[in-house]
Amino acid sequence: VNPANVVEDEFDYHNMFVGAYDLGDVSFVRYVSLNNAHAFYYKTSKNFADGVSSHFRDGIIANNHKDAYGRLQFYGPSGPFTFRF
């Protein structure tokens, strides 16, 4: 079984569209979301083929309430699988 694909050190700031509609075996490591319209949008996903990877690991989702832009919301997926943080 192949390990998950990894996106490392992604930084999103003041973005309107953050996320994806369909991600399979993709893991975000050290992801940082700061003052985005939504912290992350995840439409669909699945269990990882390797059985051990997480969708997000060691990340930060933050919003400065003094900044007029951004909300501290994570739109997670639904379906018959385990979504791991």
Side-chain angles (χ1 to χ4, degrees):
V1 174
N2 292 330
N5 295 297
V6 178
V7 176
E8 295 180 302
D9 303 315
E10 172 75 17
F11 178 73
D12 287 313
Y13 175 73
H14 266 239
N15 289 314
M16 171 81 62
F17 302 108
V18 179
Y21 278 98
D22 192 8
L23 287 175
D25 289 346
V26 177
S27 179
F28 289 87
V29 177
R30 295 178 306 274
Y31 172 74
V32 176
S33 174
L34 181 60
N35 287 67
N36 292 302
H38 48 269
F40 205 90
Y41 176 84
Y42 225 115
K43 182 80 171 180
T44 62
S45 187
K46 65 179 207 53
N47 287 324
F48 284 90
D50 64 12
V52 297
S53 295
S54 298
H55 292 86
F56 286 87
R57 190 176 78 225
D58 300 329
I60 297 171
I61 296 173
N63 194 66
N64 182 347
H65 70 277
K66 294 179 182 177
D67 189 336
Y69 188 78
R71 286 184 284 172
L72 193 57
Q73 289 185 296
F74 187 99
Y75 295 99
S78 63
F81 63 92
T82 302
F83 191 81
R84 292 178 165 179
F85 280 96

